Amino acid sequence: MTRAGRLAHAWAQTALWAALAGVGVDLAGVENAALDLTEDQRFTLSAVAVETARSLENPVIARVFFTNALAAPYHEHRAAVLDLLEGLRRESGGRIEVRVSDPTAEAEAADEARTLGIDPITRRDGREIRQIWMGVAFLSGDRVESVPAVTSLPLVEYDLVRALQRVATPVDSRPTIGWLVGDGEPDPGTFPETHPLAQLGRSVGALGRLAVFNPGEGPFPDLDALIVVAPQTPLPAIRQLHLDQALMRGVPTALFLAGYQPDFRAGRTTEIHHDLQPLLARYGVAIAPLLVLDRTNNEKLPIPMGGSWVQVNHPLAVVALEMNRAARPMRAVRRVVAPFVTPVSVGDLPPGVRAEVWVSTAPSAVGTPTNRPIEPERAAAIARDEVPGPFPLVVALEGTFPSAWTGRPLPVPLEGDPVDPASFVPTSRPTRLVVFGSGDLVANEGALVEATVDWLLDDPRLQATRRQADVDTRLPAPTPGQAWRWKLGIVGFPVAVLLAGAAVVSRRRR
Amino acid sequence: MPPVATVARRELLILFGQPVAWLALAGFVSLIGLLTLWKDDVLAGGVASMRGPFWWIASCLLLLAPAIAMRSIAEERRSGSLHLLATLPLTAVEIVVGKWAAAVVTLAVGLACTVPLAVALFALGPVDPGPVVGGYVGLLGLASALAAVGVAASAATESQVLAFLMALGVSAGPVVVGAALPLVAPEWVSTVAVLTFQFHVEHLARGVVDLRSMAFFLAVSLVGLRVAVLQIEHRRLAR
């Protein structure tokens, strides 16, 4: 072979190597083989997903409506959804059939997606803002469960497996979520469709069957979870007893308790007396008689000014920034807007009850035992009786609770039959209780309320998929000694490398 | 001793016998330390993860790898010792692989110098070891790819400075593309994303050793080494 020929051969060989390397990388991506080194197998199909797929009794069609070739940061979502569905399909033994369409290019698919409750979402896609499709619907018989937009990669598995579980569960065997009314609590069914409370009612209802009920003086119906939102008047003792007994029967309960509310006519806040403090104290929850305000971290509130409503940043619309990420419902929450909020903390815990704070204010928050003017500047004025923050705002408890009526005479209803002492339950089954210090929060933080109800319903199989969330654990605050050693190590180690180098070089030179 | 090991050992003795390599390693560790301390303080962030430091380590590797690899063949050529090597019973492949192995070992020593960061983090709180191991596997893959690019650049010129700049330019390419990913046309984004270092380092730092990532680093290493061999053969044949 001539020199030129050998040169051409060498170049051709190099080009072939490059081409083969490219093909190799491409082929490596086909099987999506990966070794998950995380402690909790965070990026492997979870046990609950496998179990859900394997336990399917009827065929399920997974209709994927995804825009092809999305730009960053959504470029991995379609592949993540399809990978997960492929894993579920394999585990289901073929009971899941996956059908993929791109409604961006197919008008018929777009119509079908809308029929199944999936609408396009408006997002920046590369350099343009356009409508894209990122939804999945599961169909089984005449039942449909949709995930309208898969926008969070860490929650892909949770969202899809939850929808799959729902479509596979008959409607009449879904959990009943009670929404108590009768003491001034809002009824989500009475608000216009676009009102946040109506939307919340729908989203909470999607977790099970939402039952709005007013039991009068009678016992509560059989429930799987109970929500009490902002009672405005004192709960009579008989109602408190039934609330207590519902908890004793193991009904997990969420209380969103407003301690203060705005009185726009008077231009001040006014207190709300629900009289639940002594009851909650028995379970280990302490509600401080303080109104929290934060002059630094706050959100807008609609305020009447000059005959119209104006959105202004208001110190009483506190933005809480300290989240307990170890608590599952808080994992996806970055901040919580809590208007007219009261501190809720862990009090004297009865034996067998564990508690944790989910949300706290920033240290810039202060509490005041007196009502404040609504006008923002006057509300922000410094008062003498202020108590410095930070304050816990949400407390969650788990365990076996003692009844608040143990060793006390049972209240007698004004009308109807007295409570049968034989039916009194003195100690609860293992259950959960979560208390929020704001009622107005419910309208702003629908996702948090939904996650809380999800936590209350405590399907441990479903909750397990939350572990797929790509969230690292928190470090405990370092001691001054640890922080000092950390800094010393960072500065000192390069010096050690230099000294080692000097020693090696000088030895070699000798 | 196999010829490749002989070349690598000779290269390592030269590298670690000079203050430059030690200064580069100390500079590498200092830079990571300073960035970790002031730019992205793990303690202040309060997150039990090495992801932040891994990004800085990967970024600093982009500087360290060309600095370590720049002299490997360029210096041999400048001093004429490459002709001497050519008289020995060594193929171009053995020379290149030996030089590359020495560079990878040096970079591995640099990575080992960052292990105390991880150890300190483990001492502070509950750190998941999987992502840390995955991160170091990814960084070793990145180091291997960058070393191959550096050796290829070093084989292309007699000037160490030019070799450094060429390697830096080529290595920075996939990083720049990764940063500019939102500007890439949607139909190309999935393909282009796989060609960026960020994509692979991010996956590995999550604790997932993806076959695609390992294949990518292997592919870059092989192509880099092949280009270096081509340069040597080209010069040998051109004479």
Side-chain angles (χ1 to χ4, degrees):
Chain A
M1 193 184 279
T2 62
R3 185 182 288 179
R6 284 166 68 187
L7 262 177
H9 181 259
W11 275 103
Q13 207 177 15
T14 305
L16 191 66
W17 272 62
L20 281 175
V23 171
V25 174
D26 197 40
L27 284 178
V30 171
E31 266 306 309
N32 198 31
L35 180 64
D36 187 350
L37 298 175
T38 55
E39 234 167 16
D40 51 5
Q41 297 288 292
R42 218 183 287 169
F43 302 103
T44 304
L45 204 60
S46 65
V48 61
V50 171
E51 200 183 323
T52 303
R54 286 183 183 169
S55 64
L56 289 176
E57 289 177 2
N58 298 310
V60 174
I61 296 171
R63 285 292 282 121
V64 182
F65 300 98
F66 237 94
T67 301
N68 277 328
L70 286 174
Y74 299 114
H75 59 287
E76 289 182 89
H77 288 57
R78 187 174 183 275
V81 166
L82 295 183
D83 285 348
L84 185 81
L85 289 174
E86 174 55 23
L88 290 170
R89 190 195 64 76
R90 275 201 303 265
E91 295 295 341
S92 73
R95 280 202 178 80
I96 299 176
E97 184 192 340
V98 183
R99 295 182 196 164
V100 187
S101 302
D102 178 4
T104 321
E106 305 164 37
E108 273 182 25
D111 292 341
E112 187 190 348
R114 287 194 173 94
T115 312
L116 296 173
I118 295 169
D119 286 308
I121 54 172
T122 305
R123 286 284 188 281
R124 174 173 289 282
D125 188 37
R127 275 169 286 190
E128 57 176 336
I129 293 175
R130 65 168 180 147
Q131 292 205 315
I132 57 175
W133 299 79
M134 300 177 80
V136 179
F138 291 98
L139 297 88
S140 180
D142 57 353
R143 291 200 294 276
V144 179
E145 281 295 336
S146 302
V147 182
V150 183
T151 52
S152 164
L153 271 184
L155 294 177
V156 164
E157 186 168 8
Y158 173 80
D159 286 340
L160 295 189
V161 174
R162 186 169 67 160
L164 184 61
Q165 278 191 348
R166 284 202 209 131
V167 82
T169 310
V171 176
D172 51 5
S173 60
R174 289 193 190 173
T176 306
I177 303 157
W179 182 298
L180 182 71
V181 294
D183 301 292
E185 297 95 339
D187 177 349
T190 61
F191 290 89
E193 206 169 291
T194 52
H195 192 279
L197 275 176
Q199 289 172 359
L200 179 67
R202 283 197 298 278
S203 61
V204 169
L207 296 168
R209 282 191 307 116
L210 185 68
V212 179
F213 71 103
N214 180 357
E217 293 190 320
F220 291 5
D222 283 339
L223 301 168
D224 295 297
L226 172 64
I227 307 174
V228 182
V229 178
Q232 303 288 301
T233 56
L235 266 75
I238 188 71
R239 180 77 70 109
Q240 292 195 24
L241 172 69
H242 290 312
L243 185 61
D244 171 90
Q245 288 299 291
L247 191 70
M248 294 306 114
R249 291 200 303 274
V251 178
T253 303
L255 299 162
F256 299 85
L257 300 177
Y260 293 84
Q261 64 181 353
D263 181 345
F264 293 114
R265 200 174 297 168
R268 299 186 68 78
T269 58
T270 58
E271 286 172 55
I272 295 174
H273 300 281
H274 46 66
D275 289 0
L276 286 171
Q277 291 87 342
L279 177 78
L280 294 174
R282 297 270 184 151
Y283 307 142
V285 180
I287 300 181
L290 294 172
L291 174 61
V292 180
L293 60 144
D294 194 324
R295 299 179 179 93
T296 310
N297 301 296
N298 54 51
E299 196 37 271
K300 286 186 166 58
L301 265 188
I303 300 293
M305 279 184 182
S308 60
W309 292 85
V310 183
Q311 292 271 357
V312 288
N313 273 80
H314 201 291
L316 291 173
V318 174
V319 174
L321 299 168
E322 295 298 318
M323 306 296 140
N324 178 356
R325 301 250 177 243
R328 286 191 294 257
M330 304 310 302
R331 286 197 171 168
V333 181
R334 293 188 181 280
R335 57 182 222 148
V336 170
V337 180
F340 306 103
V341 68
T342 298
V344 178
S345 57
V346 180
D348 295 329
L349 284 176
V353 176
R354 301 180 305 279
E356 59 180 0
V357 172
W358 279 1
V359 180
S360 297
T361 67
S364 53
V366 296
T368 167
T370 49
N371 279 300
R372 307 290 290 191
I374 295 291
E375 199 275 313
E377 280 185 20
R378 291 179 59 210
I382 295 171
R384 272 188 222 160
D385 54 8
E386 281 182 6
V387 180
F391 300 104
L393 302 181
V394 183
V395 166
L397 305 98
E398 284 182 84
T400 309
F401 296 84
S403 169
W405 269 269
T406 304
R408 293 168 61 199
L410 299 180
V412 180
L414 294 173
E415 296 171 10
D417 299 327
V419 178
D420 178 10
S423 66
F424 175 74
V425 184
T427 309
S428 81
R429 290 182 200 166
T431 190
R432 291 175 163 180
L433 173 69
V434 55
V435 182
F436 290 72
S438 169
D440 293 79
L441 167 151
V442 167
N444 305 314
E445 303 289 349
L448 174 58
V449 178
E450 195 182 329
T452 301
V453 175
D454 197 17
W455 181 78
L456 291 179
L457 289 169
D458 188 34
D459 178 349
R461 303 185 321 148
L462 186 59
Q463 290 290 359
T465 60
R466 287 285 194 196
R467 293 166 65 187
Q468 301 300 102
D470 190 5
V471 179
D472 294 304
T473 50
R474 303 286 294 176
L475 274 180
T479 61
Q482 283 175 322
W484 187 82
R485 281 197 295 276
W486 170 262
K487 287 176 183 171
L488 186 73
I490 280 179
V491 176
F493 199 71
V495 178
V497 172
L498 273 182
L499 289 176
V504 170
V505 171
S506 66
R507 216 179 90 187
R508 281 182 59 82
R509 284 193 177 163
R510 274 207 302 274
Chain B
M1 193 181 277
V4 169
T6 308
V7 175
R9 185 171 174 273
R10 173 179 171 272
E11 186 73 10
L12 282 170
L13 285 172
I14 294 171
L15 265 174
F16 284 102
Q18 294 173 344
V20 180
W22 291 98
L23 280 171
L25 284 177
F28 173 70
V29 184
S30 305
L31 197 56
I32 290 162
L34 293 176
L35 289 166
T36 308
L37 198 59
W38 279 288
K39 181 78 181 160
D40 190 14
D41 190 349
V42 175
L43 291 195
V47 178
S49 166
M50 278 288 287
R51 279 193 211 196
F54 277 150
W55 274 113
W56 296 124
I57 295 170
S59 308
C60 294
L61 268 181
L62 284 175
L63 289 173
L64 182 67
I68 294 294
M70 65 184 182
R71 63 162 305 285
S72 58
I73 296 174
E75 179 61 18
E76 301 271 16
R77 177 169 291 146
R78 193 194 60 78
S79 64
S81 55
L82 193 62
H83 296 308
L84 192 67
L85 275 177
T87 62
L88 297 173
L90 287 170
T91 63
V93 173
E94 285 164 346
I95 294 171
V96 166
V97 173
K99 299 276 184 187
W100 167 77
V104 172
V105 169
T106 311
L107 294 175
V109 170
L111 289 177
C113 289
T114 67
V115 170
L117 266 177
V119 173
L121 204 63
F122 275 100
L124 287 170
V127 182
D128 186 350
V132 177
V133 173
Y136 274 109
V137 170
L139 288 173
L140 205 56
L142 178 66
S144 145
L146 292 175
V149 171
V151 170
S154 181
T157 174
E158 286 180 6
S159 161
Q160 288 190 38
V161 176
L162 200 57
F164 174 83
L165 292 174
M166 279 167 63
L168 188 64
V170 173
S171 305
V175 180
V176 173
V177 172
L181 208 57
L183 303 176
V184 174
E187 58 271 26
W188 286 103
V189 75
S190 299
T191 312
V192 175
V194 181
L195 301 176
T196 66
F197 285 140
Q198 286 96 320
F199 177 86
H200 300 286
V201 174
E202 195 175 307
H203 269 69
L204 288 156
R206 285 195 325 182
V208 180
V209 179
D210 193 332
L211 182 64
R212 192 169 34 175
S213 297
M214 301 321 290
F216 173 74
F217 290 134
L218 184 68
V220 174
S221 303
L222 288 177
V223 172
L225 294 178
R226 177 61 217 170
V227 169
V229 170
L230 176 73
Q231 296 294 333
I232 292 177
E233 284 178 349
H234 189 273
R235 302 234 171 188
R236 203 184 268 174
L237 291 169
R239 265 189 280 123

